[in-house]
Amino acid sequence: MYLDEVKTILIDVLGLGEAGRGLDADSPLLGSLPELDSMAVVTLIGALEDHFDIAISDDDISASTFETLGSLAAFVARLRAE
C-alpha cells in the first residue's frame, strides 16, 4: 500500500538514484545496502515521519523493520492505521 512512497523516500534519503529503481518488496535493506548506515536510518526515520505524519518511537524500531523494503512499508502502514 505504501511501498512506492517508502521506496521513493528511501531512494532520495540514500541517494541511490537509478540504482534504487530496481528495488521491490523483497529487496533486502539493512546489511545489504551499504548506504543504509546508522546515520542514514535516523535520517530515513525522520523523512518517513514527516512524509506520513507519523511518530516513530525507539521502541518501535527493530532490525526486522528494516529487513526488506516490504517490511519497512508494512511498518509504515501499521503506524498509519493506529
Side-chain angles (χ1 to χ4, degrees):
M1 178 181 201
Y2 294 102
L3 187 66
D4 289 337
E5 288 175 274
V6 171
K7 176 180 173 178
T8 299
I9 294 167
L10 179 74
I11 290 169
D12 290 346
V13 167
L14 299 183
L16 297 176
E18 288 301 313
R21 301 292 169 209
L23 293 173
D24 62 23
D26 296 323
S27 296
L29 300 180
L30 204 58
S32 295
L33 294 175
E35 298 87 354
L36 191 58
D37 59 17
S38 58
M39 289 305 297
V41 167
V42 171
T43 303
L44 178 58
I45 289 169
L48 292 171
E49 287 178 324
D50 290 345
H51 182 83
F52 292 106
D53 194 28
I54 56 177
I56 301 173
S57 73
D58 292 344
D59 293 338
D60 291 334
I61 302 167
S62 68
S64 63
T65 301
F66 292 91
E67 186 175 350
T68 65
L69 181 57
S71 65
L72 185 57
F75 172 73
V76 168
R78 182 177 58 83
L79 288 179
R80 292 280 296 162
E82 290 180 355

